[in-house]
Amino acid sequence: MNTPALSLRHNHFLNGSSALVSGIRLPRSSSSPFRVRMSLQENGPSVAVVGVTGAVGQEFLSVLSDRNFPYRSLKLLASKRSAGKSMKFEERDYTVEELTEDSFDGIDIALFSAGGSISKKFGPLAAQKGTIVVDNSSAFRMDENVPLVIPEVNPEAMAHVKLGSGKGALIANPNCSTIICLMAVTPLHRRAKVKRMVVSTYQAASGAGAAAMEELVQQTREVLEGKEPTCNIFNQQYAFNLFSHNAPVQPNGYNEEEMKLVKETRKIWSDKDVKVTATCIRVPVMRAHAESVNLQFENPLDENTARDILKNAPGIVVVDDRASNRFPTPLEVSNKDDVAVGRVRRDVSQDGDYGLDIFVCGDQIRKGAALNAIQIAEMLL
């Protein structure tokens, strides 16, 4: 798989036996020398994770570790209910602290995933104290003064934000379905300019949080055992079923999730005229979203050229084997960083090479949330 373009690695290698030196972990590898985990560095930024006990908060920690993100200190923040819990990260013990107005003193970067109301209250407070906030909620996405960033797509949107300048800032992480879609579509848009995009999403339980994932497992057991399913999160049976996305429906008939795709695409591409329509569906899959995307271009783009463009795009892997009928699946991209694209074909309803259909899958918790946020943080280093 391709490595995302904006990866920052801090890997070093030693010969010798496995050891713990100055708090640095040296894991043993049977096939390679020893890798030193260099994440804890005196010259790294101070980092806070807000909402650390949630699904995305936990994934923040996983991605920070996987990518050896350098930090000099780490603060784990959550609600009063979770305060006092003990967590181990990179072989160190941490105590979860209650999120308060004083939590951001001395914090350089704060990764937020605690819901819109928490972000609206504490995000600006943190920024006022000089913290750069990367927020995973919808609270600031459509604020014209807040950059909405996918690092592989529009890194220039946050070029004015500088770590160490003493000035705090808010940076918004786009919605998961928008990230996964635009990772695949933007390279094609750059070549042929998208005029109109029709998206149908098949969204996993993880998009509704850890409790929804747990309920899907519970319901599956209950239905298989002939019991009535427990319906606390979605108020209807989720196991062995699918339904229109549970976001509130707007007066225009679109739900909030669908309008996020419309509005966020226009902002990220800086193109208020691009036509976007979406239908978002919740499916009984654990943690990766799938999307069917139909594209209409201003300029011709044939399917072979499109496939080559995607093969060379950062953060994309092409899975498009017609002979064996093998294409992207949510299961195969779960816990992976790359977005998978397949079913690349000319839209036969349009004349010439002005239309394409593609099928996209991406891990909602990783590239759809935590990985994208940490790639944003990496660009600040």
Side-chain angles (χ1 to χ4, degrees):
M1 288 189 178
N2 298 333
T3 302
L6 293 154
S7 159
L8 284 175
R9 299 281 180 178
H10 301 267
N11 295 348
H12 302 267
F13 294 90
L14 293 179
N15 292 319
S17 58
S18 178
L20 188 68
V21 182
S22 300
I24 298 171
R25 187 171 67 200
L26 310 181
R28 180 175 294 280
S29 169
S30 58
S31 59
S32 65
F34 301 110
R35 176 164 156 249
V36 184
R37 186 167 295 285
M38 293 293 289
S39 301
L40 190 61
Q41 299 180 19
E42 285 184 13
N43 60 350
S46 53
V47 176
V49 176
V50 179
V52 71
T53 55
V56 176
Q58 288 292 292
E59 201 70 20
F60 278 148
L61 296 181
S62 176
V63 177
L64 285 169
S65 183
D66 288 349
R67 296 175 74 84
N68 294 339
F69 187 91
Y71 58 91
R72 72 173 180 271
S73 66
L74 181 65
K75 182 180 282 191
L76 306 185
L77 298 167
S79 66
K80 186 175 184 178
R81 186 178 67 250
S82 298
K85 287 184 178 178
S86 185
M87 281 189 180
K88 186 177 283 289
F89 177 68
E90 295 197 334
E91 299 188 353
R92 287 173 180 78
D93 292 315
Y94 293 85
T95 300
V96 176
E97 300 177 36
E98 181 184 355
L99 175 64
T100 70
E101 294 181 5
D102 299 322
S103 294
F104 302 99
D105 294 339
I107 296 296
D108 296 317
I109 299 172
L111 304 168
F112 271 64
S113 189
S117 60
I118 296 295
S119 292
K120 285 176 182 175
K121 179 178 180 181
F122 290 98
L125 280 171
Q128 286 168 13
K129 295 192 174 190
T131 301
I132 297 175
V133 173
V134 184
D135 180 45
N136 193 56
S137 81
S138 61
F140 308 108
R141 286 177 188 153
M142 298 315 299
D143 185 325
E144 62 182 17
N145 297 313
V146 176
L148 182 66
V149 178
I150 305 171
E152 296 90 341
V153 174
N154 65 330
E156 69 283 352
M158 57 173 283
H160 62 288
V161 181
K162 305 293 183 185
L163 188 66
S165 68
K167 291 183 179 179
L170 295 165
I171 303 171
N173 222 24
N175 191 40
C176 49
S177 52
T178 306
I179 294 172
I180 291 164
C181 179
L182 296 192
M183 281 291 293
V185 175
T186 300
L188 307 178
H189 174 60
R190 286 175 179 150
R191 173 66 68 92
K193 190 164 175 45
V194 172
K195 287 173 58 178
R196 183 170 186 261
M197 179 168 72
V198 182
V199 186
S200 298
T201 72
Y202 312 92
Q203 296 185 221
S206 57
M213 297 168 77
E214 291 165 9
E215 185 164 290
L216 176 56
V217 173
Q218 180 182 358
Q219 280 195 12
T220 302
R221 271 200 211 97
E222 290 168 342
V223 172
L224 289 173
E225 291 170 0
K227 299 176 182 175
E228 278 292 310
T230 301
C231 301
N232 294 326
I233 305 299
F234 295 116
N235 299 318
Q236 60 182 308
Q237 182 175 322
Y238 188 18
F240 306 101
N241 192 23
L242 57 82
F243 44 82
S244 181
H245 193 282
N246 47 291
V249 179
Q250 307 298 291
N252 65 0
Y254 285 73
N255 62 43
E256 281 184 3
E257 189 79 1
E258 292 158 352
M259 290 309 298
K260 286 175 186 176
L261 252 169
V262 174
K263 294 175 181 177
E264 292 177 20
T265 297
R266 290 173 177 165
K267 179 174 177 177
I268 291 165
W269 281 355
S270 300
D271 184 353
K272 67 182 187 308
D273 297 321
V274 65
K275 293 177 169 61
V276 181
T277 185
T279 300
C280 295
I281 303 296
R282 189 74 76 183
V283 297
V285 168
M286 196 55 71
R287 60 173 288 158
H289 290 352
E291 304 184 17
S292 168
V293 185
N294 174 264
L295 300 167
Q296 182 180 354
F297 300 106
E298 279 192 12
N299 304 303
L301 178 64
D302 67 83
E303 64 180 51
N304 291 325
T305 302
R307 203 174 285 108
D308 288 341
I309 290 168
L310 291 166
K311 284 177 180 176
N312 290 294
I316 292 291
V317 60
V318 174
V319 183
D320 201 30
D321 186 347
R322 294 177 181 177
S324 61
N325 206 1
R326 182 171 176 265
F327 303 105
T329 69
L331 201 57
E332 287 181 312
V333 300
S334 292
N335 297 291
K336 303 276 176 43
D337 288 350
D338 288 331
V339 171
V341 186
R343 300 298 318 278
V344 181
R345 63 204 188 276
R346 185 177 78 83
D347 176 0
V348 297
S349 74
Q350 298 187 52
D351 294 331
D353 290 318
Y354 288 88
L356 285 174
D357 284 296
I358 61 174
F359 187 68
V360 185
C361 287
D363 188 300
Q364 181 273 329
I365 308 180
R366 282 188 83 86
K367 184 54 187 173
L371 171 62
N372 197 77
I374 286 158
Q375 285 177 302
I376 289 170
E378 286 174 347
M379 290 201 301
L380 298 167
L381 300 176

